[in-house]
Amino acid sequence: MAFERIRPRKPDPFSLISIRKATAALYLMLLDAQARLQVYPPSRTSYRRKGAAGLGGSWNVQPPHPEGADIVGRVGSKKSYAVWVEGPTRGSGKKQRALFRRYGWTSVTTVARDVRRIHRGRIRAALQGS
């Protein structure tokens, strides 16, 4: 009995995927999100801002890395009050307070929507091998 190699008729669609390009595109998206979250809106209160030591400087990026079959990266802040100032506006759990929304602080929900729209084409092109 002899074994013969089975060759697919069509090329493997995943052979076109450039993991490096997709990871780089995802990293650019995360850095864009971080930059947007670090922007302080114009001050409307007498609160004195702390600059890099405050909320703006606390946003950090965990670079994309393999996690199982996925490529995962994160943007986050270790400031305990970040969720109230720039937190999500949807979903369960703690949310951005209406006060900070009125003051002009962007939410992570808005930033995620915006950067996803801007970077989606680049990530999709990388995954399609173009």
Side-chain angles (χ1 to χ4, degrees):
M1 177 191 258
F3 292 98
E4 285 187 42
R5 185 172 157 190
I6 300 172
R7 294 185 181 176
R9 292 181 186 192
K10 294 181 181 178
D12 178 7
F14 295 105
S15 65
L16 300 175
I17 293 177
S18 170
I19 300 299
R20 271 194 214 139
K21 281 185 181 178
T23 302
L26 176 58
Y27 195 34
L28 285 175
M29 184 177 86
L30 295 170
L31 291 172
D32 187 9
Q34 177 191 28
R36 289 166 185 258
L37 289 164
Q38 288 177 330
V39 173
Y40 279 57
S43 182
R44 295 184 188 172
T45 66
S46 60
Y47 171 77
R48 189 162 187 269
R49 296 183 171 185
K50 298 176 188 166
L55 180 59
S58 74
W59 290 99
N60 58 67
V61 172
Q62 181 187 42
H65 60 280
E67 207 170 273
D70 300 322
I71 301 171
V72 178
R74 293 179 177 85
V75 177
S77 172
K78 293 193 183 216
K79 295 287 185 186
S80 60
Y81 57 89
V83 69
W84 308 120
V85 180
E86 292 184 277
T89 57
R90 295 188 203 152
S92 60
K94 298 175 181 175
K95 306 262 188 317
Q96 180 187 36
R97 298 265 167 102
L99 168 72
F100 295 107
R101 198 169 26 257
R102 281 195 310 273
Y103 284 162
W105 289 90
T106 58
S107 70
V108 293
T109 305
T110 302
V111 168
R113 183 195 64 225
D114 292 348
V115 298
R116 191 178 307 125
R117 182 180 39 79
I118 292 165
H119 295 271
R120 179 183 5 225
R122 195 173 303 128
I123 293 171
R124 187 173 284 153
L127 290 171
Q128 292 171 348
S130 23

